[in-house]
Amino acid sequence: MCWRWRHPLSDSDAILTRLMALHPKVIDLSLDRIERLLKRLGNPERQLPPTIHVAGTNGKGSLIAFLRAILEAAGYRVHVYISPHLTKFNERIRLAGKLIDDDELASVLAECEKLNAGEPITHFEITTAAAFLAFSRVDADVVLLETGLGGRLDATNVIDNPVLTIITPVSLDHQQFLGNTLKKIIAEKIGIVKPGVPCLSAKQERREEKNFCKLVTEAGASLALEGKDWSVRKIETGMAFDSNLDGVKKSRDFPVPALSGSHQLRNAGLAIAAIEHLPGFDIHDSAIALGLKSTHWPARLQRLISGPLIDKLPAGWELWLDGGHNGAAGKIISKHARTWRDKPLHMIFGMLNSKSPGDFLGHLEGRLGLFRGIAIPDEENTLSAQEVTAVALSLRMDGDVAGSVEAALDDIIKQKEKARIIIAGSLYLAGTILRENS
């Protein structure tokens, strides 16, 4: 058994609350503070299994969910680090396939708190250090590591020898931290790319693809790119993965991924391509197929099937949940809505004040029945119900405010026609729904 520093306080929530006070800003992109703490901890980030480092704007979580399911189907033990969580902080750290338990979480957090000695450090930085500490003490075969924000100065970018880096689609988001143009944001995301380490990328926006490839090459990495080295297409029996890796053209068929939405075919394709490039792992197509069919990732076009909110719905109605919060996410929902022509689609919407509701809702103009704007419960940084509804009204939506999700549901189901309702606009809102509807 590994030695672990013990702290008399086992309440991880209390420690997490204290850690919020160590820095005046929630986000302050830098590597200096986490590097200082990691050195005091004995540099656990250098004692990890082979690490796959993932950056991008949309699709990171879904990609990691696919990778984890495939690797575990092949019998490998997988550490995972993601953010944010939806219902409980433990969701961010998965040790060899299982969510970190409260005692282990409290132990590593307390050790980091003690050795940080009250010096300034952001919440994300110190909890990332805690994740590395936990990973270093539990045997596993691979680490799936998701950046929190950006890439170049993200706290996860202290990993200097990943086995693979992956960039999901990059779009405008977090401009106040990453830059106000797509070119600047791409440069930040590519900051995780390392010399001599293969990089895989989803297809990027056409106007930036040449610059994207140039930056990866300048970083000293080989690049495998969706649309050039592999592609996916829907077929009658599922999906086809067409590859041109190492000059050998090949096509293989796989089942439809478990996650809803046509965009998940591309995320699944990126995961399969990553498996193809992963050295030292023996993963057969049967494990890939099993992983694709068993992937679970909540609040990404997730249909809710039980709970108090479902109990409110008349027979034949559906309730869906999505945590997407930027223009790219709105575009994905709009595209998926084209497959929902059998019933009207209504929306309950809440968003943080750091996001742009117009960027999201602009893609849904003409696609929604009723729109009900709400404030995110218990979130001080929420836009008001009036603010998001004003944007909907400017897009000629049939919008109104509601005092809560429940009130919005009650209002919408006064419509006699069977319909789908989607709750969207924020992972924070999605987390609240999952907690309260469980």
Side-chain angles (χ1 to χ4, degrees), residues 311-325:
D311 294 341
K312 282 179 167 286
L313 296 180
W317 285 62
E318 297 176 13
L319 183 62
W320 291 71
L321 181 66
D322 192 89
H325 49 259

Side-chain angles (χ1 to χ4, degrees), residues 63 164-169 199-204 212 222-233 239-246 248-252 254 265-277:
L63 169 66
L164 205 62
T165 61
I166 306 177
I167 311 293
T168 66
C199 174
L200 278 79
S201 175
K203 185 181 292 185
Q204 302 298 333
F212 180 94
S222 60
L223 174 65
L225 185 65
E226 180 191 9
K228 177 176 177 287
D229 298 291
W230 81 89
S231 60
V232 292
R233 52 194 167 88
M239 61 176 281
F241 178 80
D242 302 321
S243 61
N244 184 24
L245 304 176
D246 300 321
V248 179
K249 293 185 177 181
K250 188 164 58 171
S251 182
R252 293 129 71 200
F254 294 101
L265 292 181
R266 293 184 57 198
N267 288 331
L270 184 54
I272 297 169
I275 295 298
E276 299 267 291
H277 281 79

Side-chain angles (χ1 to χ4, degrees), residues 28-82:
D28 184 17
L29 298 179
S30 169
L31 297 180
D32 295 342
R33 294 177 295 272
I34 189 171
E35 287 175 342
R36 177 197 71 223
L37 176 56
L38 288 170
K39 184 176 180 180
R40 294 176 184 177
L41 291 167
N43 291 112
E45 81 283 5
R46 300 177 186 173
Q47 304 163 39
L48 305 185
T51 298
I52 300 174
H53 201 182
V54 179
T57 304
N58 289 84
K60 299 190 298 295
S62 297
L63 169 66
I64 286 177
F66 280 126
L67 286 172
R68 179 171 74 85
I70 292 169
L71 287 161
E72 290 181 346
Y76 292 104
R77 295 164 299 175
V78 186
H79 289 334
V80 182
Y81 184 60
I82 61 167

